[in-house]
Amino acid sequence: MEFKNLIYEKEEGIVRITLNRPKALNALNAELISELNVLFDALAADDGVRVVLLTGAGDKAFVAGADISELAHMDSFSARIFADAGQSMMAKIALLPMPVIAVVNGFALGGGCELALACDFIYASEKAMFGLPEETLGLIPGFGGTQRLARRVGAAMAMELIFTAKRIKAEEAKALGLVNRVLPPEQLMEEAQKTAATIAAMGPAAIALAKAAVHRGIEVDLISGSYMEKEAFGLCFASPDAKEGTSAFLEKRKAVFSKT
Ligand code: HXC
């Protein structure tokens, strides 16, 4: 697939998306958001994709936020449309059947931090910096940041980070539960690829069902979430992978799961 502002690569079921506007530190303009919207729709329909890695071009930034040169010309109406396009695009990530890992190679600020938060989990370079600096622009986060950050790190910590526009290093972000792993820059993509390969070897139906159970379940009470989990557990048996996985264990061999 060809895009103007991002690079799409696919190898052995693992897709790498590189946000590619390095001169603007990969800032999210309307065109890039629209391309991501199109790409996520295509991924939802591609049963050959096991895992997606999302990263930024260059060695400086993952994404330095929404494109401020576009924000500068907005009014209330166009700003809401812009926020809506970004929110819809980011909401698609949780609905994709395959895991999406944010590989944060540098600045993840504003909309960039929000994009990373919308992914299933984050691996970060030691050089990465996270923050929501919108208040310094007289704005607030608009791509789900007030919601996802509060759910991830708690309301009080989210409010301190938003109100102060403070930037935090990867290690601090990890201590807050924002980031799963912090790695030296030269090992970041390699380690993310290894994790992606581990996930890609599992049964795709069971991965999709686990992802949906976590994302849907976290929004509801424990009893309702557990009910959804039980239904998803039952659905695992609609795939031959459940029979293959359990038989392989009993026969003391490695399971070979289906490709779709
Ligand atoms: C447009 C940006 C940009 C952005 C950087 N650039 N961030 N352009 N939008 N968000 C451009 C700069 O203008 C500059 O272009 C080039 O990228 C390099 O940036 P520098 O500032 O020269 O680099 P440096 O001094 O290293 O500082 C890096 C930085 C800083 C700390 C990341 O660029 C910065 O603070 N950026 C803005 C971060 C921010 O406020 N993000 C939140 C945006 S609001 P030129 O042409 O001069 O070389 C947001 C809202 C989301 O995200 C919700 C919307 C609904």
Side-chain angles (χ1 to χ4, degrees):
M1 277 184 278
E2 292 289 322
F3 296 94
K4 208 168 139 195
N5 302 282
L6 54 87
I7 303 165
Y8 170 90
E9 296 161 289
K10 181 174 165 187
E11 201 178 333
E12 290 179 8
I14 298 172
V15 162
R16 192 201 292 202
I17 303 170
T18 307
L19 305 163
N20 191 29
R21 300 187 67 222
K23 283 189 188 140
L25 303 187
N26 306 318
L28 297 170
N29 60 5
E31 194 176 53
L32 175 49
I33 289 169
S34 160
E35 289 188 344
L36 284 168
N37 253 313
V38 169
L39 177 52
F40 291 147
D41 285 343
L43 289 175
D46 186 343
D47 60 15
V49 179
R50 296 280 84 84
V51 183
V52 177
L53 303 173
L54 187 61
T55 196
D59 58 2
K60 203 165 161 184
F62 173 69
V63 173
D67 193 314
I68 298 169
S69 64
E70 289 190 355
L71 296 180
H73 301 291
M74 286 180 188
D75 57 22
S76 277
F77 185 73
S78 54
R80 292 220 296 273
I81 290 178
F82 182 69
D84 188 55
Q87 286 190 3
S88 323
M89 175 271 283
M90 292 187 197
K92 283 178 185 170
I93 296 174
L95 296 171
L96 285 172
M98 71 292 288
V100 181
I101 307 172
V103 183
V104 177
N105 52 312
F107 289 112
L109 301 178
C113 186
E114 295 176 291
L115 180 59
L117 278 166
C119 294
D120 295 321
F121 57 87
I122 302 173
Y123 277 13
S125 151
E126 285 164 351
K127 282 172 37 187
M129 297 279 269
F130 294 82
L132 291 169
E134 283 89 343
E135 291 290 343
T136 65
L137 302 166
L139 300 172
I140 71 164
F143 290 150
T146 59
Q147 304 307 301
R148 288 198 181 88
L149 188 64
R151 283 163 171 76
R152 190 82 143 249
V153 303
M157 184 56 73
M159 283 191 275
E160 184 177 342
L161 289 170
I162 293 166
F163 299 165
T164 62
K166 187 173 128 185
R167 274 189 228 149
I168 57 170
K169 291 185 177 161
E171 277 300 345
E172 196 180 340
K174 180 166 183 280
L176 291 176
L178 207 72
V179 164
N180 279 16
R181 284 183 72 189
V182 179
L183 293 148
E186 64 282 4
Q187 287 173 25
L188 177 65
M189 187 47 79
E190 192 184 321
E191 288 299 316
Q193 292 272 13
K194 275 190 209 161
T195 299
T198 301
I199 296 169
M202 308 292 176
I207 291 289
L209 287 163
K211 172 169 168 167
V214 173
H215 277 294
R216 299 284 68 78
I218 213 161
E219 302 298 341
V220 300
D221 62 279
L222 183 62
I223 301 280
S224 305
S226 300
Y227 178 80
M228 290 193 277
E229 182 191 75
K230 176 178 60 184
E231 293 300 309
F233 185 76
L235 270 179
C236 290
F237 290 82
S239 160
D241 291 342
K243 178 62 83 190
E244 167 61 11
T246 51
S247 304
F249 177 82
L250 296 173
E251 291 160 16
K252 302 189 187 303
R253 62 176 175 81
K254 199 172 175 323
V256 182
F257 292 120
S258 57
K259 296 271 181 259
T260 57

